[in-house]
Amino acid sequence: MIRPILFSLIGLASTFSFCHAADQQNHNPWLDYYDIQDISIPKGVDPQISGLQALRNGTIAASFHDGNLLVLDPKTMDWSTYATGLHEPLGIKEDKTGALVVAQMAELTRLVDENGDGKADLYQTLSDDFGLTGNYHEFAFGPAMDSKGNMYISLNVASNRAGIFQEIRGPYSKLCPPQEEMKNWRDKEAYKQTQKKVGRMYSCAPYRGWILQVTPEGKTTPYAYGLRSPNGIHIDKQDRLWVTDNQGDWIGTSPLHLVEQGDFLGHPASLLWKDGWQKTIAEMRTSDIEPMRKLPVALFPQGELANSPTQPINTIDPTLFGLPEGELLIGDMNQNNLIRFIADEVKGTMQGTLLPFISGDELGIGNNRFTFTPDGALWVGKMHYRWAGGIGIKKITWKHKPFLFIKKSKPS
């Protein structure tokens, strides 16, 4: 059952009217209700923000594409170095001990400040129980963290625009082309046939395209699979796991998933690591995967609302940010707007509506990572991953002026 959205006709007419007038005057109407501020980034670091987390002591941790993890004191606006030498860290969480946990390309790492000087002294490997081939597209996103302290990371599949390197970590799938063919990817003519056999995106090393659960002690469990480029992973207050994926081969438009253990979410490359699976990617057909596939809860209209969705985050107290509490806000790499997800559970099945929210050149593109601070400000970290996107940090603050918005689905 798909429920209609509850609209206010007067509100919508008013909204469209002032948006049209604003376009004529080159004025962004969102700036009447929200302040969008640039945050200064220290010199000497790549200003691509790969992780962002408000910490319990009032500071804000930010990881950078170049491997630095810095901490900002928002009272003084001074930055300090917490950790260096990380390999493409793509998320931050503060655990119950106050340590910072980051997903690097090669592992999930706990960074511990043992002597209290504001710098990590211990770089502890929590989990490296997944494979690597050296392919540039083998990102590791996260972690998300549940109420028990379990962490979840989402692993990108590899791209056939490149192959594998001489040394790989983990076993190599017998369902992939021979390793020597995959290592010969710099010979473009010779590699063309291999590309067809391996598929557009592939998973020749363990658990590419999977979500892994990692306990606080480091026990790693394959949790769900069928993902292509899951750049957004989030646990809400109900311990529900939300994941965004990116459009591409086998995925007609980018989906939002509500994930439970054992789910297969649609992209077949990860099936090579499912117990008992025997087909290569070239042999697979839609009929092989559809019976297993769990449908997404929502789809992002490609090129209109999103191209490459990123991290979801739950909205907070409406007196602080203006929206109903508990909705999801989601970013995107290519579109200069934030996206609201209004959930609607019907007879135990989750669905919902995706709507544009704050938008415009003042926000810009590349909105990759998010965190709310106790004062109600939304901090936005930008990145471009060497493709589309942006750089830097934006701070978005509600001006406590009422505005018109769609609130919820119409009740039955």
Side-chain angles (χ1 to χ4, degrees):
M1 174 182 178
I2 299 176
R3 298 181 179 178
I5 296 299
L6 182 62
F7 290 97
S8 165
L9 295 180
I10 296 175
L12 286 173
S14 300
T15 301
F16 293 148
S17 296
F18 82 67
C19 284
H20 178 67
D23 288 341
Q24 291 180 328
Q25 299 170 19
N26 199 30
H27 170 66
N28 184 346
W30 287 109
L31 300 183
D32 295 334
Y33 305 98
Y34 288 89
D35 179 67
I36 302 176
Q37 174 187 355
D38 286 303
I39 300 298
S40 296
I41 301 296
K43 295 180 179 179
V45 298
D46 180 347
Q48 295 188 73
I49 307 301
S50 58
L52 202 60
Q53 180 65 50
L55 307 179
R56 291 193 290 272
N57 65 5
T59 61
I60 299 170
S63 60
F64 293 76
H65 188 249
D66 62 6
N68 286 290
L69 195 157
L70 307 182
V71 174
L72 174 67
D73 183 340
K75 295 180 180 178
T76 64
M77 299 305 292
D78 291 329
W79 290 90
S80 59
T81 300
Y82 185 83
T84 60
L86 304 173
H87 186 186
E88 205 151 31
L90 294 178
I92 306 170
K93 281 293 177 184
E94 183 179 22
D95 71 11
K96 294 180 179 180
T97 72
L100 301 185
V101 183
V102 300
Q104 300 189 68
M105 181 169 276
E107 66 174 45
L108 183 66
T109 311
R110 179 185 283 131
L111 304 170
V112 186
D113 176 11
E114 294 187 301
N115 61 10
D117 67 351
K119 296 182 179 181
D121 311 293
L122 174 65
Y123 292 54
Q124 179 186 18
T125 299
L126 281 174
S127 177
D128 57 5
D129 293 333
F130 54 90
L132 287 171
T133 69
N135 188 277
Y136 74 96
H137 207 254
E138 290 180 337
F139 304 114
F141 303 109
M145 189 178 297
D146 68 19
S147 61
K148 296 179 181 179
N150 297 311
M151 289 155 282
Y152 301 81
I153 58 174
S154 51
L155 302 176
N156 242 46
V157 288
S159 168
N160 76 4
R161 300 287 172 85
I164 69 174
F165 279 61
Q166 292 300 315
E167 299 294 332
I168 68 172
R169 184 175 78 190
Y172 185 84
S173 175
K174 64 181 181 180
L175 298 174
C176 278
Q179 288 193 49
E180 291 308 311
E181 287 187 28
M182 293 294 291
K183 291 175 182 177
N184 196 34
W185 56 275
R186 291 182 178 85
D187 184 336
K188 294 182 179 179
E189 287 302 314
Y191 189 58
K192 283 181 179 179
Q193 293 304 313
T194 304
Q195 283 179 308
K196 294 177 182 179
K197 289 188 288 184
V198 76
R200 176 64 187 89
M201 313 299 290
Y202 63 88
S203 179
C204 292
Y207 304 123
R208 309 314 311 184
W210 286 67
I211 295 169
L212 304 182
Q213 180 195 68
V214 183
T215 68
E217 298 73 34
K219 179 183 177 181
T220 304
T221 303
Y223 189 82
Y225 58 115
L227 295 161
R228 181 181 181 274
S229 190
N231 185 20
I233 183 165
H234 171 67
I235 295 278
D236 65 17
K237 289 184 178 180
Q238 291 77 45
D239 273 347
R240 296 178 299 189
L241 176 60
W242 300 89
V243 177
T244 62
D245 204 356
N246 279 204
Q247 179 270 348
D249 62 315
W250 296 88
I251 300 178
T253 197
S254 299
L256 172 65
H257 295 290
L258 180 58
V259 182
E260 297 176 308
Q261 189 165 10
D263 285 346
F264 171 68
L265 302 166
H267 195 282
S270 59
L271 288 169
L272 275 59
W273 301 101
K274 176 179 169 62
D275 290 344
W277 190 261
Q278 296 297 324
K279 287 190 175 184
T280 68
I281 193 75
E283 295 170 329
M284 292 184 207
R285 299 295 181 265
T286 303
S287 57
D288 296 319
I289 66 174
E290 279 303 310
M292 302 184 294
R293 181 182 176 219
K294 180 179 179 180
L295 294 176
V297 300
L299 297 171
F300 298 85
Q302 174 70 10
E304 296 181 15
L305 196 58
N307 291 68
S308 300
T310 62
Q311 177 192 338
I313 187 172
N314 283 109
T315 51
I316 58 172
D317 185 338
T319 64
L320 293 176
F321 195 69
L323 287 178
E325 185 171 0
E327 291 184 358
L328 289 181
L329 281 181
I330 305 165
D332 186 73
M333 298 303 296
N334 302 64
Q335 303 292 326
N336 64 349
N337 56 266
L338 303 182
I339 303 159
R340 292 173 64 201
F341 174 68
I342 304 176
D344 182 24
E345 189 169 350
V346 180
K347 297 181 180 181
T349 298
M350 183 65 72
Q351 60 180 19
T353 301
L354 293 164
L355 297 169
F357 185 49
I358 296 171
S359 61
D361 293 339
E362 294 80 7
L363 174 66
I365 65 173
N367 302 304
N368 187 50
R369 296 292 180 261
F370 303 92
T371 192
F372 276 106
T373 47
D375 61 357
L378 177 64
W379 292 63
V380 180
K382 293 174 171 289
M383 192 167 168
H384 56 69
Y385 289 95
R386 302 179 294 275
W387 294 294
I391 58 174
I393 297 176
K394 300 278 187 178
K395 178 183 177 183
I396 302 176
T397 308
W398 184 38
K399 295 181 179 180
H400 294 274
K401 294 171 61 178
F403 60 98
L404 297 167
F405 60 88
I406 296 170
K407 187 174 182 180
K408 61 180 179 179
S409 297
K410 183 179 179 180
S412 299

